[in-house]
């Protein structure tokens, strides 16, 4: 399942435009960006907690 190239991204955008219409795409993009941002925050929080536990175990 590797990286997406320009052609694949373009096809996905065209299909999304056809399904949701031009008025909904900005809302969907904003929601996707917020979801991704929250996911990254959660992952970074878990990583930070794991590192803290490892530091405490090494003492």
């Amino acid at each position: 399942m590797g990286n997406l190239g320009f052609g694949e991204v373009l096809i996905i955008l065209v299909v999304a435009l056809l399904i949701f219409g031009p008025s909904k795409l900005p809302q969907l993009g904003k929601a996707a960006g917020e979801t991704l941002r929250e996911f990254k925050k959660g992952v970074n929080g878990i990583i930070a907690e794991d590192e803290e536990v490892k530091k405490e175990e090494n003492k």
Side-chain angles (χ1 to χ4, degrees):
M1 194 172 213
N3 296 331
L4 293 176
F6 179 74
E8 290 88 1
V9 172
L10 184 62
I11 290 172
I12 292 170
L13 290 175
V14 169
V15 170
L17 181 62
L18 291 174
I19 292 174
F20 298 110
S23 63
K24 291 284 184 183
L25 282 183
Q27 295 171 353
L28 292 172
K30 181 180 178 184
E34 290 173 356
T35 302
L36 185 59
R37 191 175 311 116
E38 289 297 319
F39 178 75
K40 285 183 178 181
K41 281 183 187 177
V43 169
N44 288 337
I46 291 171
I47 291 172
E49 288 176 8
D50 189 41
E51 288 175 357
E52 287 177 15
V53 170
K54 286 181 182 179
K55 286 180 183 179
E56 290 177 8
E57 289 176 354
N58 290 336
K59 287 184 178 180

